């Protein structure tokens, strides 16, 4: 207690300074000297607050720490979910803007088959982004599309026909288009844990699963990866990048050895895209109006839309009977 003897204070206060104040002040001053902040006052306030948190943490029992950590993790998961939903909304909003631009561009091009008055004007170097509409007319006639034909055995064709018949995208195709798709598809053998597509990459192919299961993985804002869906035989993945001309929305990884059939962008766009897109948009608009499904986001609705199957009933036909086991939901 040297140096305190000159102070005219009680022994209790001298003891308090030595045992309680000095250790904290010495530790804080040492840290301040080590860091050398430009303004030491905010630094010391922050240091004292952090020390209080650390000291309180030492007083918690293991059970209390586990409970608090669980609550913190739950809050962080909720924050990540909200961030993901906001990102999905932003993507959808951007997609709608691009779609409106494309429709306006097509209307302008369809108005006159002749080139516009300034068609011969030298082009500037400024790039036009997010507009992929094509102009039509006698002066810009689209070339006839010829789908690739990949040799297959009769056994492969039979297997592929069975797989495609279970798929939302291909089951409603006319026979001629169906045969073109079968000829253009390529068999792909996939190893266990192999990543067939990666989130963020550009998409040139889609895949139809014949055998095996695949996890759809999304990278979260904090860098972790989350499995959002598992695809099974008959499912299609990779189609969103072709339908909306956008980067891959998720990484797809096989859970074990698997067999897929690969279809290229040009064949898909020419044969399948228009019919499938109209069907998906029609079902999505319908699902958005169902109160029971109001809490679903756009991605979840698109997955449900792919699973919808239309059924027709003759006049007076029995749709369902009282007392029978319910296996499906019907909506008209």
């Amino acid at each position: 207690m040297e140096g305190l003897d000159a102070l005219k204070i009680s022994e209790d206060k001298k003891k308090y300074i030595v045992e309680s104040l000095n250790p904290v002040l010495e530790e804080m001053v040492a840290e301040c000297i080590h860091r050398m902040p430009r303004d030491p006052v905010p630094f010391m306030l922050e240091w004292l607050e952090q020390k209080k948190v650390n000291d309180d943490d030492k007083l918690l029992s293991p059970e209390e720490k586990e409970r608090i950590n669980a609550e913190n993790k739950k809050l962080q998961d909720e924050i990540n979910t909200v961030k993901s939903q906001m990102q999905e909304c932003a993507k959808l909003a951007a997609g709608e803007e691009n779609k409106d631009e494309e429709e306006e561009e097509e209307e302008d091009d369809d108005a006159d088959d002749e080139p516009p008055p300034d068609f011969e004007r030298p082009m500037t170097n400024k790039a036009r982004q997010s507009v992929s509409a094509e102009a039509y007319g006698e002066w810009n006639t689209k070339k006839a599309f010829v789908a690739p034909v990949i040799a297959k055995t009769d056994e492969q064709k039979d297997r592929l026909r069975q797989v495609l018949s279970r798929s939302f995208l291909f089951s409603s195709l006319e026979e001629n288009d169906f045969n073109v798709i079968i000829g253009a598809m390529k068999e792909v053998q996939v190893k266990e844990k192999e990543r067939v597509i990666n989130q963020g990459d550009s998409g040139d192919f889609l895949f139809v699963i014949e055998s095996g299961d695949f996890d759809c993985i999304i990278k979260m804002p904090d860098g972790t990866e989350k499995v959002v869906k598992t695809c099974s035989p008959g499912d299609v993945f990779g189609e969103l990048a072709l339908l909306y001309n956008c980067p891959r929305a998720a990484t797809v990884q096989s859970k074990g050895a698997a067999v897929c059939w690969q279809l290229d962008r040009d064949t898909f766009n020419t044969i399948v895209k228009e019919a499938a897109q109209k069907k998906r948009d029609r079902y999505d608009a319908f699902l958005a109006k169902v109160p029971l499904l109001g809490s679903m986001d756009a991605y979840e609705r698109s997955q449900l839309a792919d699973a919808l199957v239309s059924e027709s009933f003759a006049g007076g036909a029995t749709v369902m009977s009282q007392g029978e086991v319910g296996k499906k939901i019907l909506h008209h």
Side-chain angles (χ1 to χ4, degrees), residues 283-314:
Y283 285 176
D284 183 76
F286 159 70
L287 293 174
K289 297 176 182 178
V290 179
L292 182 64
L293 309 177
S295 62
M296 299 180 70
D297 59 28
Y299 178 79
E300 292 169 330
R301 279 203 313 274
S302 71
Q303 299 303 303
L304 184 58
D306 291 352
L308 289 180
V309 177
S310 62
E311 291 189 29
S312 299
F313 299 91

Side-chain angles (χ1 to χ4, degrees), residues 125-140:
N125 290 329
K126 185 177 180 181
R128 178 103 180 261
Q129 297 183 359
S130 300
V131 178
S132 58
E134 297 177 355
Y136 295 91
E138 293 180 358
W139 60 279
N140 188 28

Side-chain angles (χ1 to χ4, degrees), residues 79-256:
I79 292 172
N80 291 337
T81 299
V82 172
K83 286 182 179 179
S84 297
Q85 292 173 345
M86 291 177 66
Q87 291 174 349
E88 183 69 24
C89 289
K91 289 180 181 178
L92 291 174
E96 287 299 322
E97 291 177 1
N98 292 343
K99 183 177 179 181
D100 291 341
E101 287 188 43
E102 291 173 359
E103 290 176 351
E104 291 176 3
E105 185 82 8
E106 289 182 1
E107 289 175 1
D108 291 341
D109 290 331
D110 289 341
D112 191 350
D113 284 344
E114 294 299 321
D118 58 350
F119 181 70
E120 299 296 334
R121 184 181 63 191
M123 297 181 64
T124 63
N125 290 329
K126 185 177 180 181
R128 178 103 180 261
Q129 297 183 359
S130 300
V131 178
S132 58
E134 297 177 355
Y136 295 91
E138 293 180 358
W139 60 279
N140 188 28
T141 304
K142 296 181 73 175
K143 295 181 179 179
F145 172 75
V146 179
V149 178
I150 299 175
K152 299 178 182 67
T153 64
D154 290 340
E155 183 266 341
Q156 285 180 308
K157 291 179 181 178
D158 290 339
R159 284 163 42 208
L160 182 52
R161 189 176 292 273
Q162 292 178 8
V163 172
L164 296 183
S165 65
R166 303 197 302 267
S167 169
F168 156 79
L169 286 175
F170 306 101
S171 58
S172 60
L173 289 176
E174 295 181 0
E175 184 65 23
N176 183 56
D177 290 339
F178 198 77
N179 291 332
V180 172
I181 294 298
I182 289 178
M185 298 195 85
K186 174 184 177 182
E187 184 174 358
V188 178
Q189 301 286 336
V190 183
K191 300 177 181 178
E192 182 179 2
K193 300 297 182 182
E194 180 178 348
R195 295 198 165 188
V196 183
I197 63 176
N198 292 289
Q199 182 176 351
D201 289 352
S202 59
D204 295 321
F205 303 95
L206 65 75
F207 298 86
V208 183
I209 303 173
E210 178 181 348
S211 63
D213 295 321
F214 291 77
D215 285 334
C216 299
I217 304 168
I218 290 180
K219 190 171 185 179
M220 305 301 290
D222 61 359
T224 60
E225 292 186 334
K226 180 180 180 181
V227 176
V228 295
K229 178 186 177 183
T230 297
C231 296
S232 54
D235 287 341
V236 178
F237 63 86
E239 82 282 9
L240 292 179
L242 306 188
L243 282 171
Y244 300 106
N245 195 27
C246 63
R248 298 293 194 188
T251 295
V252 179
Q253 176 178 290
S254 63
K255 300 182 73 172

